[in-house]
Amino acid sequence: MTKIGLRNLWFQLHKWIGLILAVLIIPISITGAALVWHDPILEWMHPERHHATSAPVLPLTAYVDSARAALGEGERLSRIELRKGEPVVVMASKPSRGRPQRTTFYLDPATAQLIARENSSQGVFQVMHVLHGSLMIPGVGRTIVGWIGVAMLLSSISGLWLWWPTVGSWVRGLRWRRHRNLDTNLHHMMGFWIALPLFVLSLTGVWISFPQVFAGFDGGAPKGPSPMMLMMRAKPLETTATPLDQVVEHARAAAPGEVRSVMWPTDMKPEWTVQIAAKGPPATVTVSDKDGSAQLAPAPAGPQGQTIARTMRQIHDGQGLPFVWQLIVFLGGLIPAILAITGIIMWWRARGWRGQLAERKRAKALA
């Protein structure tokens, strides 16, 4: 294939990816850009959920009882967290056939009174999360988003190829006025600067959408549902054999320190998981719900149990990374939407131009 033929092939691939998938790329991109600032925006909107004037002073059972009194029908307690400088957080989940419904209760550390209640299926950001991750399509939505990520990988590669000047140095491609139309210049310039970040975001998005495909990269882990997916499907036990106060007592006997969180036993894992702030690294203690026996869990491999899958998600979300990368992730979500719109405008203009050219040729043939 000649160089011109190869370039035309890349052009057709790039054009039809943009045209066919634009209606899906735009909402995925815009919601991804907005979700980068999820935490700071929520903290600004609901400061009472993120700041407390006192540390937890009551027994854990007091906070649990307060949250239990506010449970809705079918909801089961699943976790309690004690965060420094923040309200006590108690989580509950409601088993369902689809995505589990989760409720978060924010409690006053000094009085255990309910401050706020948040449901995972409500609120603007919750809708954005579902739209970004599965296009709000039950079952196959996550797979569809994954294949859109594959298409975006090809689009970023083909776009960089098409940006590269056919004559002269690559520096010529950095010129602003490569075309007389503003939208075309925007498409060329923005497409170049976002190509590499978009490739990274698309790759990490594909990794997140197809965890089974990449499971072997995490230390040869077997293919199958990820631990996170299994944890989401697990149902907290409605009635436990070991009371919470005894669980805490057994856990602190195994690892002295302050309790930071307690996770309820489930139908898949009938044991409590207690996180304790010890003198050294944080300790994890598992407590059997059947007999209350406690066992100190081994320290996770690597830095705080970091895996490739978690790293990919962190890169994709920008959470916990420097502000510069968060800004790049934000632009990596915003600019593809602009590229989709400018690409449609360019195609529509070219379509009109080709129609006018065909008319002129017909008129000339008839003359």
Side-chain angles (χ1 to χ4, degrees):
M1 182 179 290
T2 65
K3 186 176 181 180
I4 295 177
L6 183 60
R7 188 178 182 87
N8 184 61
L9 176 65
W10 279 118
F11 174 75
Q12 295 298 326
L13 177 67
H14 187 81
K15 177 179 71 175
W16 289 110
I17 285 176
L19 292 176
I20 295 174
L21 299 180
V23 70
L24 302 178
I25 290 173
I26 291 174
I28 291 175
S29 298
I30 293 177
T31 53
L35 289 172
V36 176
W37 316 118
H38 171 274
D39 291 346
I41 291 177
L42 278 184
E43 185 173 351
W44 171 74
M45 292 175 60
H46 305 286
E48 73 282 358
R49 301 180 185 179
H50 301 274
H51 302 283
T53 57
S54 67
V57 295
L58 302 176
L60 292 188
T61 51
Y63 304 113
V64 170
D65 290 342
S66 179
R68 184 177 283 114
L71 288 177
E73 183 180 357
E75 291 182 335
R76 302 177 184 179
L77 297 176
S78 60
R79 185 181 180 92
I80 180 172
E81 295 183 0
L82 291 83
R83 305 170 180 176
K84 187 176 181 180
E86 298 184 26
V88 174
V89 172
V90 178
M91 301 177 186
S93 64
K94 183 177 181 179
S96 62
R97 293 183 179 179
R99 188 181 183 89
Q101 300 296 314
R102 303 189 181 280
T103 304
T104 303
F105 302 94
Y106 298 87
L107 307 171
D108 189 319
T111 64
Q113 290 184 346
L114 181 64
I115 299 174
R117 172 188 176 125
E118 181 183 47
N119 191 285
S120 62
S121 62
Q122 299 174 349
V124 175
F125 281 107
Q126 283 74 15
V127 173
M128 285 186 179
H129 273 293
V130 179
L131 181 59
H132 184 76
S134 64
L135 290 171
M136 306 191 80
I137 303 175
V140 298
R142 190 182 183 92
T143 301
I144 294 174
V145 170
W147 282 110
I148 292 174
V150 173
M152 292 297 290
L153 283 172
L154 296 175
S155 182
S156 59
I157 295 172
S158 59
L160 189 58
W161 182 287
L162 295 171
W163 169 89
W164 205 277
T166 55
V167 179
S169 169
W170 65 272
V171 178
R172 291 171 59 90
L174 297 175
R175 294 175 302 170
W176 166 252
R177 293 188 177 276
R178 293 184 63 175
H179 198 274
R180 64 178 180 272
N181 295 312
L182 173 64
D183 51 83
T184 304
N185 290 325
L186 280 173
H187 196 88
H188 279 290
M189 193 60 66
M190 286 186 170
F192 168 74
W193 289 110
I194 206 61
L196 183 57
L198 182 58
F199 180 88
V200 173
L201 292 174
S202 299
L203 176 61
T204 54
V206 171
W207 197 297
I208 293 169
S209 297
F210 301 119
Q212 300 90 343
V213 176
F214 301 99
F217 288 89
D218 269 326
K223 293 184 179 181
S226 65
M228 181 176 294
M229 292 298 296
L230 289 174
M231 187 173 65
M232 289 179 62
R233 296 175 187 173
K235 301 177 183 178
L237 298 182
E238 189 172 7
T239 304
T240 58
T242 304
L244 177 60
D245 53 353
Q246 292 184 21
V247 169
V248 173
E249 181 181 347
H250 295 320
R252 295 187 67 178
E258 296 184 9
V259 175
R260 291 303 181 199
S261 70
V262 179
M263 184 179 296
W264 263 244
T266 67
D267 57 343
M268 294 185 179
K269 188 178 180 182
E271 61 184 21
W272 302 77
T273 302
V274 184
Q275 296 284 342
I276 295 180
K279 290 184 178 180
T284 301
V285 180
T286 58
V287 180
S288 171
D289 185 53
K290 182 179 180 180
D291 56 18
S293 59
Q295 183 177 0
L296 184 63
Q304 296 184 353
Q306 188 75 357
T307 63
I308 297 178
R310 290 177 183 174
T311 301
M312 288 294 180
R313 180 169 288 277
Q314 191 175 27
I315 293 173
H316 190 80
D317 297 342
Q319 299 301 316
L321 296 180
F323 174 78
V324 172
W325 179 251
Q326 292 180 343
L327 182 60
I328 291 174
V329 175
F330 171 74
L331 295 175
L334 188 63
I335 291 178
I338 299 175
L339 293 177
I341 294 172
T342 54
I344 292 173
I345 295 173
M346 292 162 59
W347 168 77
W348 188 261
R349 184 189 302 114
R351 185 172 178 270
W353 177 80
R354 286 193 297 269
Q356 293 173 6
L357 180 61
E359 284 293 329
R360 288 198 296 268
K361 287 183 177 179
R362 276 196 295 269
K364 185 176 181 180
L366 294 174

